Amino acid sequence: MARATHESSAISGGEERYRDRDARTVNFEAAQALAETVRTTLGPGGMDKLLVSDGRLTVTNDGASIIDRMEIDHPAAKAVAEIADTQENAAGDGTTTAVVLVGELLAQAEELFEQGLHATTITNGYRLAAERTLKALESMAVDIDPDNETHLHELAETAITGKWNANAAAFLAELAVEAALAVETGGDLELRRITRQTVPSGGTRDSELIDGLAIDLGNSSTSLVSPDIDLPRRVADATVALVDDHLTIDTVDGMGSLELESREQLERFREYEDGVYARQAERIVDAGADVVFCQGSIDEPVRYLLADQGVLPIERTRRDELIKLTRATGASHVAPVDALTIGDTGTASAVERRTVGDRELAVVRGSERTDQVSLLLRGSTEHIVEEMKRIIDDCLYVLQAAIEDRAIIPGGGAAEAELARDLRTYSEAVDEREQLAVGAFADALEVVPRTLAANAGLDPIDAIIELRNRHHEDGVTIGLDATTGDLTEMTSAGIVEPLSVKWRAIASAEEGANLLIRIDDVVAARHEESEDAHEHDHDDAPGGLHAADEGYPWALGHSMGH
Ligand code: ADP
Ligand code: MG
């Protein structure tokens, strides 16, 4: 058993060790504290948080961003943060829900422990309950037509209501839907085709969707060379070359550091240089390019030569942008420039230079392959545009989930209330010992409507009682409309969520809670105990507790049951 190993050597004098009840208390408390932190952000009534780190301020209402930026030391809280992270990466939404659910499942488990239930009974009960719940959730889902703009708009808006003022949220949801529909093909939404550029100037409503790939020439390292040369603002039907190289004289040749003593030598060096520059420009011109995006810098003589022959040179294009450009234009990125041929170029119906606020943009519009759009997000400050970006991302992930799965469920706590009702019926058929745990899982699910009500300033207990009654009578889809405070039919109120987001949130909450419930031993372990111990010197802090900033200073012992 793993625990025995830790016992034998991990403990040194004065170190903390928790077992059984204490271990659980410590873990549960840490996990619940994290849940408590994000709880108040759940749903439209949720409050914003101001995060301070290294002097940088972030104002956000997004549970995932909050957890992401928090300094978390305790291993149990870390485990919950990992659940949040997984949820965010896998579903793009539902993070707060998952974390709040874990917290509540642990709170319920605590009571079950007090009633004398064994950890295994609780985890088995939770597992049964989760299986039942996920099935019930699937059968509750309603199919949608992925081209139905109303549905998409409702989904996007539900994902972000309360994250911004209502008008701005509706506007951003609309923008996200437009972007999604512009690149959606046959039930497939590739988010990498949507580029978001933030421009901290102007008003939110100046934000726009651009057909094509927008490359920020001011913010990214990309820059348009030689403002002194008269370069075109717009090149129509452009042949585009992408050079993953720099158009400079290579000092590796040794020429750059050559001591030039005679006039003759200097003359010859100049000739050499001119030759290199001329060849570089020639390659690009010969490939038929009208616009060249270059990953490195472009020396001035090359710029002149290019501009002179009607080629628009753009230097220091980030590699990720070059990759996007390959998709947008069909060009391949080539290095060195000598290898460039006509076959490597791509096309764009237009390449335009645009000034937005204080930014210069290059907008590359597609030709036959219009498979890139860009969202230009504008707002008065950096904080605002960054939060707008998070909000847009929330919308886009939800839209992707809905477009790809075509299945939605009612929001506003309706799904959770219905699932709780179903579970309570189901629990009657469950083995006596586990019945309590299944019932507890049902109670835990209600944390969602309860929190939505509390965050909307309503009495959570009254709201839950009324919600339960309504679900007993008729309404599978009755939930709380937090903007009005009424219990109402969620689908007609347009408060809907993608099935997959909720599915994952519940599944990972169950896994996370069970993981922590199974732990009966928390040991501060020496770093040698960990598997990668051989990579480290014996530089542990006195007492054997390894410096906490480097991974896992704790060992989690799992009880194997009985
Ligand atoms: P998460 O990180 O879990 O996505 P959110 O803060 O985005 O957390 O809140 C999502 C919850 O808010 C969902 O349960 C959703 O149904 C609910 N919700 C969204 N809009 C409304 C609304 N108008 N009324 C009530 N609940 C809403
Ligand atoms: Mg959300």
Side-chain angles (χ1 to χ4, degrees):
M1 214 185 212
R3 197 201 313 166
T5 352
H6 296 307
E7 240 164 24
S8 57
S9 60
I11 308 292
S12 46
E15 210 159 286
E16 285 177 296
R17 173 172 191 165
Y18 306 96
R19 302 194 59 164
D20 299 326
R21 230 191 128 106
D22 287 343
R24 277 198 307 266
T25 310
V26 169
N27 283 337
F28 284 19
E29 273 174 6
Q32 284 171 283
L34 188 61
E36 206 48 49
T37 312
V38 292
R39 189 191 187 102
T40 51
T41 70
L42 186 78
M47 302 295 283
D48 291 351
K49 298 233 177 264
L50 175 67
L51 303 172
V52 188
S53 70
D54 296 335
R56 251 185 79 89
L57 300 180
T58 310
V59 179
T60 184
N61 179 292
D62 187 41
S65 321
I66 294 168
I67 293 174
D68 200 40
R69 285 174 176 73
M70 270 169 73
E71 273 176 43
I72 297 169
D73 284 330
H74 194 279
K78 270 194 181 145
V80 177
E82 267 166 36
I83 293 167
D85 203 41
T86 314
Q87 176 75 20
E88 186 64 16
N89 291 332
D93 196 20
T95 314
T96 318
T97 304
V99 171
V100 168
L101 256 180
V102 175
E104 191 60 22
L105 283 169
L106 294 177
Q108 295 287 338
E110 224 162 3
E111 281 180 31
L112 295 173
F113 276 120
E114 264 161 38
Q115 292 170 38
L117 263 71
H118 190 274
T120 315
T121 316
I122 301 175
T123 54
N124 286 348
Y126 276 8
R127 159 87 357 128
L128 282 176
E131 277 167 15
R132 168 77 184 197
T133 298
L134 295 175
K135 278 201 204 105
L137 186 67
E138 283 163 21
S139 43
M140 185 192 299
V142 179
D143 290 351
I144 57 152
D145 170 4
D147 293 325
N148 182 326
E149 240 176 276
T150 314
H151 275 153
L152 295 181
H153 191 95
E154 287 170 357
L155 282 158
E157 227 182 307
T158 303
I160 62 170
T161 313
K163 300 213 184 255
W164 204 259
N165 70 60
N167 284 336
F171 173 76
L172 289 178
E174 191 55 50
L175 213 52
V177 170
E178 267 178 54
L181 287 176
V183 296
E184 181 254 326
T185 43
D188 195 27
L189 179 59
E190 275 186 76
L191 293 185
R192 59 177 193 176
R193 293 181 174 189
I194 303 172
T195 296
R196 294 100 69 250
Q197 294 286 6
T198 52
V199 182
S201 75
T204 308
R205 284 184 181 264
D206 297 324
S207 303
E208 58 178 310
L209 178 69
I210 295 179
D211 174 24
L213 176 62
I215 290 185
D216 186 342
L217 305 181
N219 192 31
S220 73
S221 45
T222 302
S223 63
L224 197 68
V225 293
S226 301
D228 45 327
I229 312 175
D230 194 21
L231 294 167
R233 304 257 347 144
R234 181 168 198 276
V235 182
D237 294 322
T239 301
V240 178
L242 307 176
V243 177
D244 201 355
D245 192 10
H246 45 90
L247 304 179
T248 55
I249 297 283
D250 231 332
T251 49
V252 181
D253 287 346
M255 298 301 284
S257 58
L258 198 71
E259 295 261 320
L260 298 168
E261 281 156 5
S262 67
R263 173 171 298 222
E264 202 184 315
Q265 258 183 336
L266 183 65
E267 197 60 34
R268 254 193 285 137
F269 180 64
R270 287 232 174 98
E271 271 169 31
Y272 164 80
E273 273 194 328
D274 288 349
V276 172
Y277 288 140
R279 204 188 64 234
Q280 288 175 341
E282 199 179 283
R283 288 283 182 259
I284 291 161
V285 174
D286 285 354
D290 303 308
V291 180
V292 60
F293 289 89
C294 184
Q295 192 259 319
S297 51
I298 305 178
D299 276 354
E300 197 161 297
V302 187
R303 304 174 203 167
Y304 275 105
L305 289 169
L306 288 172
D308 204 39
Q309 309 218 44
V311 181
L312 175 65
I314 297 173
E315 68 173 354
R316 287 198 282 273
T317 307
R318 281 199 327 250
R319 194 161 268 129
D320 62 314
E321 291 180 327
L322 271 188
I323 307 278
K324 282 185 184 163
L325 282 163
T326 61
R327 276 201 296 276
T329 63
S332 347
H333 53 99
V334 174
V337 65
D338 279 339
L340 185 72
T341 66
I342 289 186
D344 299 316
T345 60
T347 52
S349 59
V351 176
E352 290 169 9
R353 288 159 55 201
R354 271 186 62 180
T355 311
V356 179
D358 54 359
R359 298 286 168 97
E360 271 282 310
L361 296 175
V363 178
V364 179
R365 295 189 197 276
S367 46
E368 314 97 72
R369 352 175 356 129
T370 19
D371 59 357
Q372 284 278 335
V373 294
S374 303
L375 284 165
L376 216 59
L377 302 175
R378 305 188 59 184
S380 49
T381 70
E382 192 73 45
H383 290 184
I384 288 177
V385 289
E386 284 303 316
E387 179 75 350
M388 282 168 71
K389 195 168 167 184
R390 283 191 285 274
I391 290 172
I392 282 281
D393 283 356
D394 269 0
C395 292
L396 291 176
Y397 281 119
V398 162
L399 291 171
Q400 184 184 41
I403 285 173
E404 292 183 356
D405 301 343
R406 299 168 183 223
I408 58 172
I409 52 148
E416 288 86 350
E418 186 57 21
L419 295 169
R421 191 201 56 74
D422 169 74
L423 261 189
R424 290 190 182 108
T425 316
Y426 163 77
S427 75
E428 287 161 19
V430 171
D431 183 88
E432 216 176 296
R433 285 184 310 156
E434 279 140 13
Q435 201 174 81
L436 281 172
V438 173
F441 199 96
D443 292 347
L445 285 170
E446 285 177 343
V447 75
V448 173
R450 201 163 55 232
T451 307
L452 289 172
N455 288 349
L458 302 170
D459 184 311
I461 296 170
D462 288 351
I464 285 297
I465 292 171
E466 203 189 329
L467 196 60
R468 280 185 190 170
N469 289 339
R470 296 288 295 272
H471 275 256
H472 268 294
E473 287 160 15
D474 48 357
V476 176
T477 60
I478 299 289
L480 172 74
D481 182 342
T483 49
T484 59
D486 297 332
L487 291 189
T488 167
E489 211 282 306
M490 291 288 102
T491 333
S492 27
I495 302 172
V496 287
E497 298 174 55
L499 165 66
S500 59
V501 172
K502 190 73 80 196
W503 198 99
R504 249 174 214 288
I506 294 175
S508 42
E510 182 260 339
E511 270 171 35
N514 273 354
L515 172 94
L516 293 175
I517 291 167
R518 276 191 219 107
I519 293 168
D520 68 347
D521 198 357
V522 175
V523 185
R526 286 177 70 84
H527 208 51
E528 292 102 32
E529 289 296 308
S530 73
E531 273 155 31
D532 59 350
H534 54 277
E535 290 173 23
H536 294 274
D537 294 328
H538 292 249
D539 58 355
D540 293 358
L545 189 63
H546 194 274
D549 57 9
E550 218 200 308
Y552 241 34
W554 301 83
L556 302 179
H558 285 251
S559 85
M560 307 308 286
H562 316 283

